[in-house]
Structure formats: C-alpha cells, structure tokens
C-alpha cells in the first residue's frame, strides 16, 4: 500500500507501507548499525520512537526467537530503504514485515534513509508520522513517561550461585540480564521506583541501574531514594543508569544534537588511553563541565565528540558507562565491565555502606 513518512520539518517521503497500516507517530531517530535490527526494535530504550535504519537493506536474515531484547517491541515504527521479503538464515522463523504486523508496528520501505538521516543531523529533534495521508502532520510533542511504561511492574527473580545483583529496571535489555546470568549471578529485577527497604530485603551484593528511554531528568523525583540505594552497595550504571547516577551527584544532562545510536562508537579509557568500539543508544549526555571532580572521575570519553562516556565515584564502588557493554547488537570490546562489577560485588560481599 502506498504510504508516506511525514516529518515535522515539512518534508514528505513516499514509500510502501508494511506492518500495521494505521498511522503511527513519534520522535524520529536513526541507527547506523549494519545488522541487529531485531535487537534494536525490541530494545526498550527506543520506546515512543520511530527508528530509521541507515543501512540500505534491512530484514535479510529474518527474525528469530533468540535475539529479542524484551518481550515485545517498544518503538512505534521503522523506516527502511529496502525491505527484504525473502530472508535467509537457519534460525529465521519469519520476516521483518511479519514481525511488524504481529506487534502493530508501523513500517515504511522505499525511503531515502540517507536524506532522512541528514535532516535529523541538521535539525536535531524531529518528529515523524507514517501514514496514508501526505498532509497528515505529526504531533510536535516530547515523548515522556516511557520509563514507567516499559519498567517491570513487580520484582522478578532469576536464580544463580554467585553474587546476587539487584537490577533496577528503567527499561533493561535482556542481554544485560543474560550477561549477569552467564557469570553465575543471581538477579532480582525491580521496578524503577523501588525503595532501599525493598532492596535490603533481598540482601544483594550489588546494584545495576539499567538502560532505558527518555530524558533522564524525568527521574529527578526518584533521585533521593536511588542515592540511598547506590551508596549502600557496589553499583554499575548503564546508559540511562549512567545519566541518573550523574544527576544524583549534581551533574547536569543535556540533549545531544542527534544522539548516538549504532554499533561503532569509539570510546577511550581516560586512565589507560585504550580505545574500545562500543554499541550505543542514547539521545542525552552528561555535561562535562557539570561533573564535580572532587566527587567523580570521568572514566571514559567519546573519541568523536568528546562527550562523557563513563564516571566513577572517587570513594564509593560506584561506576557507570554511557555505552552498552553487553552490546547486542555490536562488538563485545567492553564486556569486561561486567567482570569488574562482579569482582567488586564479591570483594565486598554483603557489607553495605548504609
């Protein structure tokens, strides 16, 4: 069916609709990965957004039941240059178009995604609508309240014989959980608004603040309780968890011009100078000038734009990364960060700082 991608900039692109044929809208973002479209679409950090894939051919290896990062996609839709209708892979169970239809995602193919990406890079915040009507304009409304939407509603426990990690869910990827379970950890997943009292009931060895969607400043009402939690146990923050930790210690966050979304972002360890290629998905950053160097060290920086990619508390076992050490999709260069976190949990045991 003939359809259109209508942008808040006034640009209109004609293409072919697939998936849910009813109109969908949201913030328009782009991902530069050459593969991993299934993981991207099921990553809760994309909640409320329409994802444009810059790689020209999408869907060529189909969709399986292994690589989902959550139970169902959280994004609103997807924009592709060419949609593969006959995927080929031994694990493939169905095509991307079938996945979009199953989960009510809006999709459009035959789009010049390079031009769409250039518009986002030049304009910054762009909203889009996938529709059958080229005059149907998208709402220019910030996407809010997504963490509450994607976070677990009650705690869930996964057994293990090693350190017990409390994973605070802002919209966590399954690969983060898998990375902990693969190392023998027991993991209890908590809602984003968990209290220290609830955490202490399970006597964890460490805390992991997960990734998630939206503006980190939406979490400001929860910072006092989160501060109590992370100061009581060794803590690792990933992506939104990194930004929330920074806000707890007085840092400021700001929107990036067009975000970091892809599997090829270089970051440098500020102590060793070693560079890692990382997977990233975020639209906000911690402002370097707001970091209190008496409390926090900047542990990683982005090689391309020099933005803050990690912080570490100078006294407490609290560290964060803006990138995704679990990858999926992306390189596993920084997978060792989970090992470092678990070593902290094991060395401290059940001792707390509260």
């Amino acid at each position: 069916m003939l359809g259109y991608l209508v942008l808040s900039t006034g640009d209109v692109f004609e293409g072919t609709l697939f998936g849910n044929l009813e109109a969908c809208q949201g913030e328009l973002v782009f991902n530069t990965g050459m593969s991993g479209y299934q993981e991207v679409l099921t990553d809760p950090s994309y909640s409320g957004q329409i994802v444009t894939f810059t790689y020209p051919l999408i869907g060529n290896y189909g969709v399986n039941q292994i690589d989902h990062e959550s139970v169902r996609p959280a994004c609103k839709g997807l924009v592709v240059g060419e949609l593969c209708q006959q995927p080929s892979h031994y694990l493939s169970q169905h095509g991307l178009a079938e996945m979009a239809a199953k989960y009510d995602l809006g999709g459009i193919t035959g789009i010049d995604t390079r031009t769409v990406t250039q518009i986002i890079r030049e304009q910054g915040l762009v909203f889009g609508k996938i529709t059958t009507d080229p005059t149907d304009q998208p709402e220019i409304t910030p996407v809010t309240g997504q963490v509450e939407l994607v976070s677990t509603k009650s705690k869930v426990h996964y057994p293990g014989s090693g350190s017990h990690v409390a994973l605070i869910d802002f919209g966590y990827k399954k690969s983060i959980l898998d990375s902990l379970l693969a190392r023998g950890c027991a993991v209890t997943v908590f809602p984003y608004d968990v209290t220290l009292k609830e955490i202490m009931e399970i006597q964890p060895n460490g805390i992991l603040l997960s990734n998630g969607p939206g503006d980190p400043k939406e979490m400001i009402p929860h910072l006092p309780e989160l501060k109590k939690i992370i100061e009581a146990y060794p803590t690792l923050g990933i992506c939104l968890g990194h930004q929330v930790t920074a806000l707890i210690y007085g840092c400021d966050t700001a929107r990036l011009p067009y975000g970091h979304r892809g599997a090829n972002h270089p970051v440098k360890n500020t102590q060793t100078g070693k560079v890692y290629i990382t997977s990233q998905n975020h639209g906000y950053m911690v402002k370097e000038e707001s970091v209190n160097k008496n409390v926090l060290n900047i542990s990683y920086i982005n090689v391309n734009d020099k933005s803050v990619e990690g912080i570490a508390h100078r006294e407490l076992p609290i560290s964060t990364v803006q990138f995704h050490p679990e990858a999926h999709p992306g390189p596993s260069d920084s997978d060792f960060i989970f090992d470092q976190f678990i070593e902290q949990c094991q060395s401290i045991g059940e001792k707390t700082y509260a």
Side-chain angles (χ1 to χ4, degrees), residues 118-316:
Q118 287 176 334
I119 291 172
I120 298 172
R121 285 175 62 95
E122 292 169 0
Q123 300 295 324
L125 182 60
V126 176
F127 295 91
K129 191 167 192 176
I130 299 174
T131 176
T132 57
D133 182 358
T135 66
D136 193 5
Q137 295 295 313
E139 294 181 6
I140 306 177
T141 306
V143 179
T144 60
Q146 299 303 301
V147 168
E148 182 178 4
L149 186 65
V150 300
S151 178
T152 184
K153 301 302 182 286
S154 59
K155 71 177 181 180
V156 182
H157 182 71
Y158 298 87
S161 57
S163 297
H164 190 180
V165 177
L167 195 165
I168 299 180
D169 177 21
F170 299 125
Y172 82 95
K173 290 171 59 184
K174 175 177 169 289
S175 291
I176 292 177
L177 173 64
D178 290 344
S179 295
L180 296 173
L181 295 178
R183 290 166 168 80
C185 294
V187 181
T188 302
V189 180
F190 284 93
Y192 73 100
D193 56 356
V194 64
T195 64
L196 175 60
K197 180 180 178 182
E198 292 170 317
I199 292 287
M200 293 182 70
E201 287 175 355
I202 69 164
Q203 296 183 329
N205 302 105
I207 305 293
L208 195 149
L209 304 183
S210 83
N211 62 294
D215 185 342
K217 289 181 179 177
E218 288 189 43
M219 293 295 104
I220 285 178
H222 305 282
L223 297 187
E225 193 68 22
L226 287 170
K227 186 174 190 292
K228 296 177 186 177
I229 293 171
I230 70 173
E231 291 188 345
Y233 303 95
T235 296
L236 171 64
I238 296 175
C239 203
L240 180 58
H242 155 78
Q243 297 162 357
V244 167
T245 302
L247 289 173
I248 286 173
Y249 290 103
C251 301
D252 191 16
T253 57
R255 184 181 175 84
L256 285 162
Y258 44 81
H260 294 166
R261 297 179 178 91
N264 57 351
H265 293 265
V267 302
K268 183 171 72 172
N269 183 309
T270 57
Q271 288 188 320
T272 66
K274 184 174 176 61
V275 173
Y276 303 91
I277 303 301
T278 67
S279 177
Q280 301 199 10
N281 173 23
H282 59 100
Y284 292 82
M285 66 174 179
V286 175
K287 297 172 69 173
E288 180 180 2
E289 63 272 19
S290 72
V291 177
N292 184 345
K293 304 297 176 54
N294 294 321
V295 179
L296 303 171
N297 290 322
I298 296 176
S299 51
Y300 295 92
I301 61 170
N302 189 290
V303 174
N304 292 332
D305 63 11
K306 311 307 179 186
S307 58
V308 176
E309 291 279 358
I311 56 175
H313 198 284
R314 293 177 66 91
E315 297 180 1
L316 300 176

Side-chain angles (χ1 to χ4, degrees), residues 70-83:
S70 60
V71 174
R72 57 172 295 122
C75 65
K76 291 292 186 180
L78 60 157
V79 178
V80 302
E82 179 182 348
L83 176 68

